[in-house]
Amino acid sequence: MRPKFTTIEIFFLVLAIIGLCATWYFNIRFYTEVADTSIGNFIALTKTTLPAKSINADIAVVAIVFLVWMVYEARKLKMRHWWVYIPLTFLVALAFSFPLFLFFRERNIRKQKKDLQQA
């Protein structure tokens, strides 16, 4: 009997939860501690220092690579609802959507292997 969750699935799911909590901790602080909580100010504040600009460039490249690969991989594996990860990336956080996609990708691969073994 196979486990409900494999070790790697648990790892990805835990990272998704950490990614959600870590990013939204700071988002909530922004909305409760900053006077101008507009999205324009939020974005402007991410460009205030050279290290922030470096991190933004890094995350932007990673996000583009993830989204392109994710669409390719999800279609190849015939995953359902793959498009949900695109808005999640922008509305929640890349730190949440990327490990969440990997979690469901692993589950999909495991299910496909199980279906092949039963055939």
Side-chain angles (χ1 to χ4, degrees):
M1 182 171 175
R2 291 185 184 241
K4 289 188 178 191
F5 296 103
T6 63
T7 303
I8 195 71
E9 289 171 353
I10 292 168
F11 176 72
F12 289 141
L13 193 55
V14 167
L15 283 179
I17 293 166
I18 290 170
L20 174 68
C21 294
T23 55
W24 276 86
Y25 168 77
F26 292 106
N27 289 343
I28 291 168
R29 286 192 59 198
F30 169 78
Y31 287 108
T32 59
E33 297 176 15
V34 175
D36 179 5
T37 58
S38 67
I39 191 69
N41 188 44
F42 184 93
I43 293 168
L45 289 174
T46 67
K47 301 175 185 177
T48 56
T49 66
L50 293 175
K53 290 178 183 182
S54 172
I55 290 170
N56 280 337
D58 188 37
I59 292 171
V61 171
V62 170
I64 291 167
V65 170
F66 163 62
L67 292 171
V68 170
W69 173 79
M70 183 268 306
V71 170
Y72 170 81
E73 185 73 0
R75 286 181 168 181
K76 181 176 82 174
L77 296 174
K78 297 180 173 79
M79 291 176 65
R80 297 171 52 209
H81 311 297
W82 59 264
W83 54 270
V84 170
Y85 303 99
I86 296 170
L88 282 177
T89 299
F90 298 102
L91 297 173
V92 181
L94 175 63
F96 172 67
S97 65
F98 194 0
L100 187 66
F101 173 78
L102 292 175
F103 167 77
F104 282 107
R105 176 183 173 271
E106 286 298 319
R107 291 189 65 79
N108 183 276
I109 290 170
R110 187 158 52 109
K111 182 183 180 309
Q112 287 181 3
K113 285 180 182 176
K114 181 182 172 189
D115 291 346
L116 281 174
Q117 290 172 351
Q118 290 178 349

